[in-house]
Amino acid sequence: MSQPWETHTTLRLNGENYSRQELLLCSKDKLKNSKNPEWEKVIFRFIVEWLNNKNNVVVKTSGSTGNPKNILIEKNRMIDSAKATNTFFDLDKSKKALLCLSADYIAGKMMIVRAFVGGFDLHYAETKSDVLLKNNVNFDFTAVVPLQLESVLKSENALPINRIKKIIVGGAALRKDLIQKLEQVETEVWTTYGMTETITHIALQRLNGKHKTDYFQALPNVEFQLDERNCLRINAPLVSLNPIQTNDEVILLNSQQFRFLGRADFIINSGGIKLSPEILEQKMALYIETCFAFSSVKDEVLGERLVLVIESKPYSEAKFNKLNEILKTILNRFEEPKEIIFSDNFPRMTNGKLNRIKLKEEIS
């Protein structure tokens, strides 16, 4: 008996239509050619995996809360996820989309699956931070990580981003000052909530325009609950037979809407005071112009000592003193970092996320 995924084996790639056999031949050539870059080969390895006779694909988790691991995901559930996104964003055969995320991870793989399912024209580009800045083509849709969006917003040149009608951004929180800049662009920008286990996003939040919100809205057939820790539990039968328990602390507005607070496993317990680094970062987002993060180091008295880590060369004395004044104004006395540390480069994962675990190791 044939599987639903077996009806989605043709693809429009860079303006060309490919049958299943043509895709296999093209992929073989791409993978065999030593001159082709690895980022491109990853795309065609996944295409080959999608077209094989297995009902599952192997997907790597990002490793944002622990060691990366491989998990199996059913192709049919990936199709259900793709259909939900394609319907929400009206992606059909008349549309054109850009793949600029690594196909090593679920977000990049799902861009390809959405093209298989929706029949839209999928163009691909190297996964670089300035990929949107260099864009000179009109697209209906793309998915990016914050670093890629930040690059074009910092340039003050809105033209490249306005060439794309709709953008989803995931993987990490976007800074408040950059969210404010989104009001200057015509593009619809949405932030996503999801993970590898939910086959990318199962909720969306509009960041700009007259329809922007301060909460995540569930996609169809998705419902939310809280556990005893006020962490989110996801019921999404189309992508998972069982409820998915997260470590994400949220404010649940109703069964389909929530406000994200932060990850419970990132909570810093300093002298019995529990502090969420993500909430502190939101408070300070408008006052520190470079990337920064709140973390902790071991302390004999407090257990954990709260520190602020800034991706920058050390500040001048005047700038350092001004920052301290701002910290005292914006944060309460328990939230004030006990130390400010400067780092030339933050450790990041391949998908652009800050590696908080490695950062904590580096500063300890």
Side-chain angles (χ1 to χ4, degrees):
M1 183 176 176
S2 64
Q3 294 289 328
W5 69 264
E6 293 179 295
T7 64
H8 300 288
T9 56
T10 61
L11 188 65
R12 192 144 55 108
L13 203 58
N14 291 341
E16 298 290 332
N17 292 307
Y18 292 87
S19 66
R20 181 180 185 276
Q21 190 60 33
E22 288 169 336
L23 276 174
L24 288 171
L25 289 173
C26 176
S27 298
K28 183 179 179 181
D29 290 341
K30 292 285 187 181
L31 294 172
K32 184 172 62 176
N33 190 338
S34 60
K35 293 182 179 180
N36 288 334
E38 179 61 21
W39 66 265
E40 186 178 25
K41 289 183 178 181
V42 168
I43 293 171
F44 288 93
R45 284 195 198 105
F46 175 69
I47 289 173
V48 170
E49 186 178 19
W50 182 259
L51 296 175
N52 68 24
N53 295 322
K54 298 179 180 179
N55 292 327
N56 304 295
V57 299
V58 178
V59 180
K60 288 191 291 189
T61 62
S62 66
S64 56
T65 59
N67 293 325
K69 59 184 178 180
N70 290 335
I71 62 173
L72 284 177
I73 294 182
E74 292 180 36
K75 291 178 181 177
N76 290 342
R77 294 195 180 277
M78 295 174 81
I79 287 174
D80 288 334
S81 174
K83 285 180 178 178
T85 300
N86 288 354
T87 299
F88 189 93
F89 288 108
D90 193 27
L91 299 175
D92 56 28
K93 293 180 180 180
S94 68
K95 302 301 194 301
K96 183 162 62 175
L98 172 66
L99 167 62
C100 56
L101 297 174
S102 172
D104 253 339
Y105 293 93
I106 188 64
K109 293 180 193 293
M110 282 308 301
M111 281 295 296
I112 300 171
V113 177
R114 291 171 196 139
F116 270 117
V117 173
F120 55 79
D121 185 11
L122 184 67
H123 292 239
Y124 60 83
E126 186 174 0
T127 309
K128 285 189 170 183
S129 61
D130 62 353
V131 64
L132 296 184
L133 192 58
K134 294 180 178 179
N135 176 51
N136 58 6
V137 179
N138 293 329
F139 289 105
D140 296 287
F141 181 79
T142 193
V144 300
V145 294
L147 282 176
Q148 293 170 321
L149 192 58
E150 286 178 20
S151 178
V152 68
L153 290 176
K154 286 180 178 178
S155 73
E156 306 294 339
N157 179 9
L159 183 58
I161 194 172
N162 284 336
R163 290 194 174 106
I164 304 172
K165 290 183 180 179
K166 299 173 184 177
I167 293 177
I168 57 174
V169 54
L174 200 62
R175 300 209 321 266
K176 283 186 178 180
D177 59 324
L178 296 173
I179 293 176
Q180 289 179 342
K181 288 186 177 182
L182 290 176
E183 293 299 337
Q184 303 167 19
V185 304
E186 300 169 7
T187 304
E188 290 182 20
V189 183
W190 304 72
T191 185
T192 64
Y193 177 84
M195 59 207 75
T196 305
E197 292 81 358
T198 60
I199 315 179
T200 67
H201 55 267
I202 41 79
L204 293 157
Q205 178 185 338
R206 179 73 180 269
L207 294 178
N208 65 342
K210 63 181 180 180
H211 298 299
K212 67 180 179 181
T213 69
D214 64 351
Y215 58 82
F216 283 95
Q217 172 69 46
L219 289 179
N221 301 306
V222 176
E223 290 191 349
F224 303 122
Q225 297 172 317
L226 290 180
D227 70 2
E228 65 281 357
R229 303 168 299 160
N230 288 323
C231 288
L232 192 68
R233 182 181 293 126
I234 303 165
N235 295 297
L238 292 181
V239 298
S240 175
L241 289 174
N242 302 311
I244 298 171
Q245 180 61 57
T246 76
N247 287 322
D248 294 331
E249 291 188 354
V250 304
I251 297 173
L252 191 66
L253 303 179
N254 54 56
S255 64
Q256 293 188 315
Q257 296 173 340
F258 68 87
R259 292 191 182 99
F260 179 81
L261 295 178
R263 289 193 63 89
D265 36 8
F266 291 156
I267 292 293
I268 297 166
N269 190 332
S270 184
I273 304 295
K274 293 183 178 180
L275 302 164
S276 167
E278 289 153 304
I279 291 177
L280 298 181
E281 286 156 12
Q282 289 173 21
K283 289 185 176 183
M284 291 301 301
L286 295 178
Y287 305 99
I288 303 176
E289 67 272 16
T290 57
C291 293
F292 69 96
F294 283 87
S295 188
S296 67
V297 295
K298 290 183 179 180
D299 187 277
E300 290 184 4
V301 177
L302 298 172
E304 291 182 280
R305 186 168 78 254
L306 181 68
V307 299
L308 170 61
V309 191
I310 302 175
E311 190 176 37
S312 168
K313 298 290 184 184
Y315 286 179
S316 66
E317 184 178 353
K319 188 173 182 180
F320 187 86
N321 291 338
K322 183 177 180 181
L323 174 61
N324 269 316
E325 290 176 9
I326 293 172
L327 289 166
K328 291 179 185 297
T329 302
I330 302 301
L331 306 177
N332 67 45
R333 65 188 183 93
F334 297 111
E335 296 172 333
E336 287 180 43
K338 301 295 186 287
E339 183 181 358
I340 299 174
I341 300 171
F342 294 93
S343 170
D344 287 337
N345 289 292
F346 277 2
R348 291 184 173 86
M349 290 166 283
T350 54
N351 60 2
K353 288 183 183 179
L354 170 65
N355 191 327
R356 290 184 185 269
I357 295 173
K358 192 168 183 180
L359 177 66
K360 191 171 182 178
E361 291 174 355
E362 289 184 358
I363 64 175
S364 295

